[in-house]
Amino acid sequence: MLRTLLAQQLGSDAEAAQVLARWDRWGADLLVGLAEVYPQPGVAEQVVGLIADGHAARSAALRARDRDRTLGPDWFQRPDAVGYAAYADRFAGTLNGVAQRVDYLRELGVTYLHLMPLLAPRPGENDGGYAVMDYGRVRADLGKMADLAALADTLHGAGISLTLDLVLNHVAAEHAWAESARAGDPRYGDYFHVYPDRTQPDAYERSLPEVFPDFAPGNFTWDEDMAGWVWTTFNSWQWDLNWSNPDVVCEFISIILNLANEGVDCLRLDAIAFIWKRLGTDCQNQPEVHAITKVLRAAARIAAPSLIFKAEAIVAPNQLVAYLGRGAHAGRVSDIAYHNSLMVQIWSALAARDARLMTVAMSRFPDIPTTTGWATYLRCHDDIGWAIDDGDCAEIGWNGFAHRGFLSDFYIGAHPASFAEGAAFQENPATGDRRISGSAASLAGLGTARTAGQRQMAIDRVLLGYAMVLGFGGIPLIYMGDELALRNDDDYISVPEHADDNRWMHRPVMPWELADTRHDPSTDAGRMWAGLRRLIDVRKDLDSLHASAPTRVHPTSHPAVVLFVRQHPAGDMVQVYNVSDWNVTIPETDIQAHAHGLTFDRLTGREVHPHDGLYALRPYTTWWLTQPAG
Ligand code: GLC
């Protein structure tokens, strides 16, 4: 019956048959997800209408893109896929400005561009754009929707996909839905979680963590107009949406399809873990989150199949894999998920000069569906939280609490062995947590380096981190400025809306005059650029790095040396990393037990051989061993 309804609504659309074929393929996902969370009558019919409308408004060019991507759905899994994340304004002023920098991105090898939040945010403080006031409008200083569509078109022409954030846990308190709720419209009152007194909020608070204990303690904010406590997980002006209301899911299906029709290829599902609330839990990773994602994903697959989803869920390993789909959801939710744990473990290994914890932590990750991939990264616009498990630490004889404390001290430069120059973010005296802000180059020691050798060491650390990020399989994301070894930007303090939030120290404005020196090997920027370019170039020809195959992380007999092992029908690969600033040796068998005769390092184009049964590794050695090229 719903199929007939869809057929009727598609009417004489030239591609009606294809849409219906996609309904036959993905419609069941939609209906199962809806039945699980929104059994109310009429919801499925409404969603069918949104799908038909979304498809009707899709341009011929995007429909052609849908066909291409349906034939090559692994575009984001391939080894030539490289991401870049930037704020449009800080990178290039406006959306048109970004279009003019496409050559720069191409030269770096970028095929996927994530532009940080650019839909109209609330005025004043807006959490870097994560407090959206209007999902149908672009931030005025960046341009208009038409400029976004034009940019998407330019990017597509250059072989680059466009990713935007979809903030779905909350809207700005100034969003029209919240305005209507405050004006007393009950339809919109139901879009939010509002409680007349502290009874429910207090009951929830008993098991809720605090995301911003410093500047937004607690999870609820009193609102005079609502005469109630509004759920605000993040800042007081970010109102959590009530996703148990079917109107909310319908609103978002329409937002998603509108963005897809502007040419957006991937939506980053911001803070997706938080969207479902359940008393007595931390209100993250609830089963309904995945059922809802399945609904959204299926609707997009039917109306705009070239669109994919990237989950931003900064959660424990056993919870994280569910965002790529476990059990009945396998391959039916997000296509990509941030690998927060890998990022944390890289910084942990560099500080400790010890990669054993990484091998334990990585072994906790079950395999992910072969149609999905990790988004791997070394830095992003957020702070680094020490998501390090006590049990993992205990396995190598460490104390988790002490190690997290060590990492915080190390990265704010308060430890004698530190090379880092970062800052503490959201210190929480109740839990002892201290998260870290700082750019990759500053955290890796470029700011504290006094000699040319130390500067090179700092760059080598960043490059080793990026080698892991690029070597892991999945889509590696370069964070704007890392390619030029940009250090912390301390000027953020002079901007009133940023001064309280030191994450802005690693959200600099692109210094294009420095970018112009990128081909000069005598500069830090030039050495970083060349190193990263080399990794990207080598990677793109390594079929064995396709995201469909997993990476196994193995220890060696030296704590500072770790192996990433990839087995793929296209050829095996063993990556060798020395995470320390020491010269170390390891027995030949440590590597050859996995490498089975692979001795050719793709990065240098040379054979590496042991002497007297030992491999010698200099500080931050990175080898990508495969069969000889060609
Ligand atoms: C995500 C963003 C972060 C933001 C939060 C709330 O975690 O990465 O920057 O503060 O969501 O939207």
Side-chain angles (χ1 to χ4, degrees):
M1 194 210 106
L2 287 164
R3 189 182 196 278
T4 315
L5 182 66
L6 179 61
Q8 278 163 5
Q9 301 205 5
L10 290 166
S12 57
D13 190 297
E15 284 179 12
Q18 295 195 34
V19 183
L20 289 171
R22 298 199 293 258
W23 170 271
D24 294 339
R25 175 71 179 85
W26 301 111
D29 282 5
L30 182 78
L31 298 181
V32 168
L34 285 175
E36 220 172 294
V37 192
Y38 308 106
Q40 296 89 335
V43 180
E45 286 74 6
Q46 213 179 323
V47 172
V48 164
L50 294 170
I51 290 175
D53 292 349
H55 186 260
R58 199 147 175 82
S59 70
L62 291 172
R63 289 175 175 203
R65 198 164 175 79
D66 288 339
R67 284 190 293 274
D68 288 350
R69 291 262 159 105
T70 307
L71 288 172
D74 67 338
W75 60 273
F76 62 93
Q77 298 183 294
R78 293 182 204 144
D80 63 351
V82 174
Y84 189 83
Y87 290 89
D89 55 332
R90 300 179 92 75
F91 179 60
T94 61
L95 295 179
N96 291 333
V98 174
Q100 283 157 24
R101 296 294 183 183
V102 162
D103 288 348
Y104 176 82
L105 298 172
R106 287 301 304 147
E107 185 190 327
L108 186 55
V110 170
T111 64
Y112 163 115
L113 176 63
H114 170 203
L115 290 178
M116 302 293 296
L118 51 74
L119 299 178
R122 75 192 287 271
E125 267 186 288
N126 55 39
D127 188 21
Y130 286 103
V132 180
M133 207 172 105
D134 186 347
Y135 291 82
R137 211 155 41 85
V138 166
R139 219 173 86 182
D141 60 317
L142 295 177
K144 300 216 173 344
M145 261 308 174
D147 300 316
L148 183 69
L151 172 61
D153 205 40
T154 305
L155 291 170
H156 294 169
I160 301 175
S161 304
L162 177 62
T163 296
L164 290 194
D165 285 85
L166 182 69
V167 185
L168 31 63
N169 177 65
H170 44 262
V171 294
E174 292 74 12
H175 189 286
W177 301 336
E179 299 282 8
S180 303
R182 277 196 299 275
D185 184 338
R187 172 182 157 96
Y188 290 101
D190 266 359
Y191 275 42
F192 302 97
H193 301 275
V194 189
Y195 306 95
D197 57 41
R198 285 297 308 182
T199 320
Q200 285 285 87
D202 285 346
Y204 278 111
E205 285 287 13
R206 277 195 273 282
S207 53
L208 280 176
E210 287 178 302
V211 177
F212 295 142
D214 254 12
F215 45 62
N219 286 279
F220 298 87
T221 302
W222 174 259
D223 186 89
E224 272 311 324
D225 296 326
M226 300 296 289
W229 292 92
V230 180
W231 200 309
T232 55
T233 302
F234 293 85
N235 289 288
S236 56
W237 29 261
Q238 286 165 303
W239 284 25
D240 286 38
L241 286 160
N242 172 16
W243 275 86
S244 67
N245 178 351
D247 289 345
V248 170
V249 80
C250 288
E251 296 274 14
F252 272 89
I253 290 176
S254 131
I255 291 170
I256 288 169
L257 297 183
N258 287 341
L259 290 172
N261 285 345
E262 300 296 344
V264 174
D265 298 278
C266 173
L267 288 170
R268 171 189 179 276
L269 307 182
D270 179 66
I272 176 78
F274 294 85
I275 68 172
W276 195 268
K277 323 295 186 192
R278 176 166 283 115
L279 194 64
T281 71
D282 62 359
C283 296
Q284 292 183 49
N285 314 310
Q286 298 300 309
E288 289 81 353
V289 172
H290 306 301
I292 293 170
T293 311
K294 186 150 93 172
V295 168
L296 301 176
R297 186 75 189 88
R301 272 180 156 145
I302 299 165
S306 59
L307 183 75
I308 62 165
F309 285 178
K310 172 170 65 171
E312 190 247 351
I314 309 305
V315 301
N318 56 337
Q319 302 283 6
L320 180 54
V321 289
Y323 289 84
L324 296 174
R326 299 287 287 166
H329 296 313
R332 297 182 149 82
V333 280
S334 290
D335 305 86
I336 311 177
Y338 284 91
H339 204 321
N340 180 62
S341 191
L342 177 66
M343 183 274 292
V344 164
Q345 291 298 336
I346 295 173
W347 290 110
S348 164
L350 288 171
R353 280 87 165 168
D354 189 322
R356 286 174 300 159
L357 188 62
M358 175 187 278
T359 65
V360 176
M362 291 302 114
S363 72
R364 301 280 183 244
F365 282 85
D367 286 349
I368 57 175
T370 54
T371 52
T372 65
W374 293 114
T376 56
Y377 62 113
L378 186 63
R379 282 304 284 119
C380 71
H381 70 290
D382 277 328
D383 51 289
I384 304 175
W386 300 119
I388 283 184
D389 185 72
D390 288 346
D392 290 354
C393 284
E395 215 161 287
I396 56 164
W398 291 1
N399 173 295
F401 186 80
H403 185 56
R404 291 188 292 272
F406 157 74
L407 290 171
S408 296
D409 283 344
F410 189 96
Y411 282 109
I412 62 172
H415 187 280
S418 177
F419 42 70
E421 216 177 24
F425 176 73
Q426 301 289 318
E427 185 157 356
N428 188 341
T431 58
D433 269 357
R434 275 174 303 158
R435 284 136 65 181
I436 297 294
S437 288
S439 77
S442 288
L443 296 180
L446 196 57
T448 59
R450 295 287 161 264
T451 63
Q454 288 170 346
R455 300 183 81 81
Q456 187 57 46
M457 227 31 144
I459 289 171
D460 288 347
R461 283 184 197 110
V462 179
L463 285 173
L464 177 130
Y466 268 103
M468 289 180 160
V469 160
L470 283 141
F472 197 78
I475 183 155
L477 305 178
I478 298 166
Y479 182 62
M480 189 205 92
D482 285 357
E483 75 277 20
L484 300 172
L486 289 196
R487 288 167 49 192
N488 294 340
D489 169 16
D490 294 325
D491 281 351
Y492 79 94
I493 305 211
S494 60
V495 181
E497 297 90 70
H498 299 167
D500 284 347
D501 183 343
N502 67 21
R503 290 179 298 174
W504 287 95
M505 74 169 50
H506 53 259
R507 298 171 180 177
V509 173
M510 185 70 166
W512 284 104
E513 64 300 336
L514 182 75
D516 290 342
T517 69
R518 66 188 180 276
H519 302 129
D520 177 353
S522 71
T523 63
D524 295 334
R527 283 195 296 274
M528 187 63 212
W529 179 272
L532 199 53
R533 282 286 314 121
R534 175 84 191 140
L535 288 166
I536 293 170
D537 257 354
V538 170
R539 178 183 197 266
K540 71 177 187 329
D541 296 326
L542 288 171
D543 292 339
S544 58
L545 276 169
H546 192 283
S548 53
T551 292
R552 313 272 178 223
V553 178
H554 292 280
T556 64
S557 49
H558 196 293
V561 182
V562 63
L563 307 179
F564 285 14
V565 177
R566 295 187 53 84
Q567 290 187 318
H568 190 281
D572 294 347
M573 179 179 193
V574 173
Q575 303 165 25
V576 184
Y577 300 104
N578 172 9
V579 301
S580 75
D581 39 7
W582 310 317
N583 290 307
V584 303
T585 52
I586 56 170
E588 175 181 4
T589 46
D590 277 8
I591 293 181
Q592 288 307 326
H594 300 283
H596 307 296
L598 302 177
T599 52
F600 187 75
D601 172 28
R602 295 295 282 250
L603 294 173
T604 53
R606 294 205 199 101
E607 294 277 332
V608 291
H609 288 295
H611 293 286
D612 299 330
L614 294 175
Y615 281 106
L617 293 92
R618 296 152 65 95
Y620 306 115
T621 286
T622 299
W623 292 333
W624 282 3
L625 303 179
T626 69
Q627 293 288 351

